Every structure is written in C-alpha cells, then in structure tokens.
RNA sequence: GGAGAGGUGGCAGAGUGGUCGAAUGUACCUGACUCGAAAUCAGGCGUAGGUGCGAGCCUACCGUGGGUUCGAAUCCCACCCUCUCCGCCA
C-alpha cells in the first residue's frame, strides 16, 4: 500500500513512478474520488458533532427531569442526511481503498527502468560453467533413473506435480536442511515453522491479495461448500512477514531475521505452457525463505546483505550463477527493489531464476500495520525484506544437471554429503 | 463436535443506555524533594483520520460485522478468537 498522503499531495510524481512499471494510473479518477471523500467526510463529521452535542443535551435535560422534546425534534432533523452520509462514506472509503490496494509499490530510484525482463541488468557473475566431454542431459533424463517421477505425480495430482523416490528424495531433503542450517547458524536467522494455510488478511498484508487471487490455491474444510477464506501459502514470506502484523515493535528488537523451510503452492495461472517439462515450474515446491524486519534507514544495506546470504548457498554448492537487478517493469507487486539470482543450467545453456530478494520498504508494513517506536518515541512503519535462500526444487535441478556424469550417476556436492550419510555419488540404478 | 466461561487502554481491572475515550492500580515519561537512589508529591502518558499557519478544535475506535436508539463499552443478532471440561484424533 502506498502512503495515501503521498498520493494526495504528489499524485503526478507517483503516477510517473508507477508509469515506469508500465502502469497507467488514472489520476483524474483518483482525484475525483478524493474530492468527493473530502466533501463527504467533512460533512459527516460535522453532522456527527451536532448530533453528539444535542444528544448530550438530551441526557442532561432528562437527568434533571426536564422536557427534552424540543431538542429531540432538532436532532431528528439531522437524521436523514446523517444516515445518508454514514452509509455513503464507508462505501466511498472502501472504493478508494480498493483503488490504492491495487497499486504496486514505487520503484526505488536505483532500479533500472525497463518494460520487461529484457531490461534487467546483470550486476555480477560467480563461477565458471563446467565444460562437459559428453552430451549434457537435462534433469528429467538424468533424474529418471535416480527416482524423479513425473508420471507418478501426474497420476496422483495432475500436471506440474512430481514424485521423488529414493536417493533423489533424500538429496532434496539434504538441500533444504543444508540451506536452513547455513541461514540459521551462519547468517543469524531464527528458524521458524509456520502454518501453510493462512487467512485473507495475511495475503493482503504481503500483497498477494486482492490482486492476484488466481495465482493462489484456496482451501475449504471437508464438506463445506463455502466457508472461511483460507489459502495455501505460495511462499513462507507470507507467514514470516505477517508474524509481526498489527504490532508496535521495540526499536532494539530490530532487525528481526526469520527463516523457514516450507512447501509453496502456486496455481501458475497464466504461465500457459511455459516450462511444462521438468521440475522448473510446479504447483508445489519447497523453499527456504528469509525475511527481515528492519528500521527504514538500514533496509537497503539489509537487501545487499540478504542477496549475499542467498549467494552463499550457491557458492557452497559450487553452482555458477549471476545476480540480476530487476528493472521497473519486471519487479513484483510489493517490491521497491529486487535482485534475482540465476543459476546456471547446462542443459538449457542458460541461467534460470533460483532466488529473488526484495526490499518492500514500508509497502507491506503499511498493509500489516507493523510499526516500531523510533528514537522520537513515535510509531513508525518498519521496512520488510524477503528473499529465497533458496528454492529447493530448482536447486535440485541445478545440482542434478551440473553434477551429472557420463555414466548417468550424479556426484553429491561436498557440503551435502554430511546430510546424505556420507554418500558421494548417486548411482543410476532404479 | 458437545457443555461452560470470557474478550475493555503496555499490563491488571471497573464500568444502572446519557457531560465515558473510558474509574482505579501498575508500568512508562517529565518536574519537585535528595549528594544520588528509593519512597513521596505534582503533571503527562492510546491509535487512526479530518480541519487549521498554529495553540487547538472535531470525528471514529472498548474482539469483528450488522441492528435497536436522539444517544451503545453497556441492549439484540451473527461471526471470530481465547480458556476449562467431555468426545474424536496425528
């Protein structure tokens, strides 16, 4: 949510900055709503003040046992207009709220301007893609003989689900455990276990709702045809970030660093046919998520730091990657600035997204009403950041493809071996 | 799922439908007293919004949403949450 005061006072600047994200902001429509709001709100409050004063008089008169019928008649005259105002105002405020809740965050000034992913800027690269002396196969082919089963997943659930069996399932678990250990032990994040089903308010808080309902799975209790509005989380960012919703935090409690390993559920509406082969784009995948709740002055330093926390995983796994600064047109709804990490996938001969780290500034905090007591003793909105550290399914893909051998076996990266009972190579036996 | 109790300011805890945004205690802040502290005394101490250059004034908020009323923390309805007991359950 953008600051409504900013919208009221600097609407043209806001419109221009939103325009850099490719958004047409109808300023005239907004201004018209605002003008009406101002008129209606002022009038409503005026009438309420009159009513309150008269009602107070009635109370005093009756208290003294005197006749109140004159005042009663007077207050009666306010009735119709007041009732009309009290009905119209909330409706109008909701309309304005719907309008602003659908506006994305303003890009930070350092974000490159661009219309789509072609406008993203490479910041740095790490590692050298391995050269293969045999024909490289993709993770679907390498994975099949070590327990990666798409057909089973499809039979159980449908397309975009996979079933892991045996050593590859263990490798998947090892990756998640390893990531969680690095983020907690080396980078100071507090490990969390969170609900995977959350309510509407949480989804609104982080920005998935009201605009992106079609990307979510929503759930009903058995037997209910309708009921509470509850959703499967598309990322642990939602429970982690919302864990501080509607709170006023002590300044010395910040920064808060949280991490969680969780499944993520995404309907992938609109992805139409992209990445249908393999594990790249699934309805369900695991992720280790990082979230930071920080004071505003420190949020951009925290963002750089968080990108480093994600990079550390790839470096330890020995996976080549590059860091991309997303351009204005490619950023997510809640982000003011985003870096993507893209890992090298030899079979695709390209880099693919494996992590996304964003500073949302006060955008989510305003929606969640999360504040802290600043040095002046005033309540001030916090800044929130989130980042993948990393996507487990895509990390699995990257390991399989980058560590494959000519005989179909896959070498286990050294840092994962303690999580695999010392296993060094996964042999293709199944 | 069944039975009961309850949700009020940071916390605790009052509140016959009428000068209640809310007593009181406690915590916290400021000042006085003190060499300093404690104790004591005085004052201050919620959030959001509107309006004004400003001191300020006004509006809303007592779990949430409706309703009754000139007026609702207080009455009515629905829902949510918490606690206790019973049942079921990993």
């Amino acid at each position: 949510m953008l600051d409504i005061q900013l919208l009221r006072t600097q609407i043209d600047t806001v419109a221009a900055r939103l325009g850099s994200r490719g958004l047409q902001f109808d300023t005239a429509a907004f201004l018209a709503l605002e003008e009406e709001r101002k008129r209606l709100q002022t009038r409503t409050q005026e009438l309420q003040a009159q009513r309150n004063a008269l009602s107070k008089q009635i109370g005093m008169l009756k208290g003294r046992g005197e006749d109140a019928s004159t005042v009663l008649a007077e207050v009666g005259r306010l009735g119709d207009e007041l009732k009309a105002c009290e009905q119209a105002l909330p409706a109008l405020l909701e309309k304005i709220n719907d309008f602003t809740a659908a506006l994305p965050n303003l890009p930070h000034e350092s974000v490159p301007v661009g219309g789509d992913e072609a406008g993203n800027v490479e910041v740095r690269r790490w590692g050298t893609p391995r050269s293969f002396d045999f024909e490289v196969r993709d993770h679907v082919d390498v994975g099949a003989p070590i327990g990666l089963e798409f057909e089973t997943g499809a039979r159980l659930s449908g397309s975009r689900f996979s079933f892991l069996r045996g050593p590859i399932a263990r490798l998947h678990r090892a990756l998640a455990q390893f990531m969680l250990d690095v983020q907690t032990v080396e980078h100071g994040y507090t490990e969390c276990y969170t609900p995977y089903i959350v309510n509407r308010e949480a989804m609104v808080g982080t920005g998935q709702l009201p605009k992106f309902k079609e990307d979510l799975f929503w759930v009903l209790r058995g037997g209910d045809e309708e009921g509470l509005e509850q959703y499967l989380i598309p990322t642990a960012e939602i429970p982690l970030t919302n864990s501080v919703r509607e709170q006023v935090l002590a300044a010395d409690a910040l920064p808060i660093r949280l991490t969680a390993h969780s499944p993520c559920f995404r309907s992938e509406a609109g992805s139409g046919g992209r990445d249908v082969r393999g594990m790249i784009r699934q309805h369900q995948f695991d992720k280790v998520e990082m979230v930071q709740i920080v004071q505003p002055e420190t949020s951009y330093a925290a963002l750089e730091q968080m990108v480093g926390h994600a990079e550390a995983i790839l470096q330890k796994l020995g996976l080549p990657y590059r860091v991309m600064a997303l351009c204005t047109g490619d950023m997510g709804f809640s982000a003011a600035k985003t870096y993507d990490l893209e890992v090298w996938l030899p079979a695709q001969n390209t880099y693919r997204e494996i992590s996304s780290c964003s500073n949302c500034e006060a955008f989510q905090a305003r929606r969640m009403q999360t504040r802290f007591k600043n040095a002046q003793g005033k309540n001030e909105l916090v800044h929130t950041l989130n980042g993948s550290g990393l996507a487990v399914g895509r990390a699995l893909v990257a390991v399989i493809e980058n560590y494959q051998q000519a005989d179909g076996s896959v070498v286990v990266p050294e840092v994962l071996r303690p999580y695999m009972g010392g296993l060094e190579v996964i042999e293709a036996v199944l």
Side-chain angles (χ1 to χ4, degrees):
Chain A
M1 194 86 85
L2 300 179
D3 183 359
I4 188 78
Q5 303 296 353
L6 192 71
L7 276 167
R8 286 173 188 162
T9 56
Q10 299 181 45
I11 189 159
D12 292 328
T13 315
V14 170
R17 291 176 68 187
L18 289 177
S20 76
R21 300 185 63 132
L23 188 99
Q24 287 291 329
F25 180 26
D26 190 345
T27 57
F30 178 77
L31 287 174
L33 283 174
E34 261 299 304
E35 196 173 321
E36 174 64 5
R37 185 222 102 231
K38 197 164 177 172
R39 190 192 67 74
L40 195 55
Q41 184 167 1
T42 311
R43 182 62 184 153
T44 305
Q45 294 186 354
E46 202 175 285
L47 291 169
Q48 283 172 334
Q50 285 177 29
R51 180 205 58 197
N52 289 349
L54 292 172
S55 290
K56 206 168 261 188
Q57 271 186 40
I58 294 171
M60 283 191 285
L61 289 171
K62 288 203 169 175
R64 283 190 245 118
E66 294 173 26
D67 175 47
S69 56
T70 320
V71 187
L72 221 45
E74 199 176 334
V75 83
R77 282 198 290 276
L78 299 174
D80 286 345
E81 191 187 353
L82 182 58
K83 192 166 275 183
C85 284
E86 284 186 334
Q87 277 175 2
L89 184 60
L92 183 60
L93 289 176
E94 197 182 323
K95 211 166 164 183
I96 292 174
N97 188 62
D98 289 349
F99 196 96
T100 52
L103 292 176
N105 203 354
L106 298 177
H108 186 257
E109 57 185 13
S110 66
V111 173
V113 175
D116 54 33
E117 61 182 326
N120 296 343
V121 172
E122 182 174 322
V123 177
R124 60 182 168 272
R125 238 172 234 233
W126 183 92
T128 311
R130 171 185 161 200
S131 54
F132 291 84
D133 52 13
F134 57 92
E135 190 171 345
V136 180
R137 295 181 298 158
D138 76 3
H139 69 280
V140 178
D141 292 338
V142 180
I146 59 174
L148 177 52
E149 302 178 8
F150 293 103
E151 191 270 338
T152 310
R155 191 146 35 83
L156 297 176
S157 308
S159 66
R160 296 199 192 278
F161 286 94
S162 52
F163 190 104
L164 308 183
R165 190 191 301 270
I168 199 170
R170 188 173 191 184
L171 183 62
H172 182 263
R173 172 163 60 92
L175 276 164
Q177 302 276 1
F178 162 69
M179 292 174 193
L180 205 46
D181 283 346
V182 171
Q183 301 309 356
T184 54
V185 176
E186 297 185 24
H187 300 150
Y189 289 79
T190 301
E191 180 171 350
C192 298
Y193 171 81
T194 78
Y196 302 147
I197 296 176
V198 299
N199 59 29
R200 177 184 169 81
E201 287 69 35
M203 286 292 185
V204 171
T206 33
Q208 282 73 25
L209 291 177
K211 231 186 154 180
F212 305 102
K213 191 171 183 175
E214 66 278 10
D215 294 336
L216 301 171
F217 285 99
W218 60 285
V219 293
L220 294 175
R221 297 186 192 208
D224 285 3
E225 292 198 8
E226 55 183 290
L228 290 176
E229 204 172 336
Q230 294 181 315
Y231 301 87
L232 292 175
I233 58 171
T235 160
E237 169 199 343
I238 290 153
L240 291 178
T241 305
N242 276 285
S243 68
V244 294
R245 69 176 293 118
E246 290 160 47
Q247 300 212 328
V248 180
L249 304 162
D252 62 11
L254 303 175
I256 294 171
R257 293 194 184 93
L258 305 173
T259 187
H261 164 219
S262 84
C264 305
F265 302 93
R266 300 187 181 180
S267 78
E268 296 300 337
S271 69
R274 263 188 298 159
D275 305 312
V276 278
R277 177 178 164 88
M279 270 190 91
I280 294 292
R281 192 176 300 277
Q282 300 268 285
H283 286 312
Q284 172 187 323
F285 63 95
D286 276 29
K287 184 156 57 67
V288 170
E289 181 75 0
M290 303 175 282
V291 158
Q292 291 201 33
I293 315 296
V294 306
Q295 298 195 22
E297 316 76 74
T298 65
S299 68
Y300 279 94
L303 177 61
E304 299 298 324
Q305 186 190 52
M306 183 181 268
V307 174
H309 295 157
E311 289 183 67
I313 302 292
L314 290 170
Q315 291 179 10
K316 286 171 190 286
L317 287 170
L319 295 170
Y321 66 89
R322 61 179 187 177
V323 181
M324 306 293 288
L326 296 198
C327 71
T328 50
D330 200 32
M331 283 199 305
F333 182 73
S334 298
K337 181 167 188 174
T338 299
Y339 290 108
D340 273 8
L341 263 51
E342 297 182 345
V343 69
W344 176 252
L345 293 186
Q348 294 190 10
N349 196 39
T350 187
Y351 289 93
R352 289 300 304 260
E353 177 185 349
I354 195 169
S355 171
S356 189
C357 301
S358 301
N359 183 0
C360 298
E361 298 188 4
F363 188 82
Q364 295 178 324
R366 191 172 291 110
R367 289 169 164 251
M368 299 190 299
Q369 280 305 299
T370 303
R371 293 155 296 174
F372 74 105
K373 282 254 183 265
N374 67 17
Q376 289 74 45
K378 291 284 181 193
N379 292 342
E380 185 177 345
L381 294 167
V382 298
H383 281 191
T384 62
L385 300 95
N386 63 79
S388 359
L390 309 162
V392 178
R394 289 191 180 178
L396 184 71
V397 168
V399 167
I400 292 171
E401 292 198 3
N402 282 280
Y403 283 88
Q404 64 180 294
Q405 303 194 98
D407 65 357
S409 64
V410 173
V411 172
V412 178
E414 250 175 78
V415 291
L416 296 182
R417 291 177 192 171
Y419 299 90
M420 298 284 288
L423 187 69
E424 293 177 14
V425 177
I426 297 174
E427 303 289 350
V429 289
L430 292 174

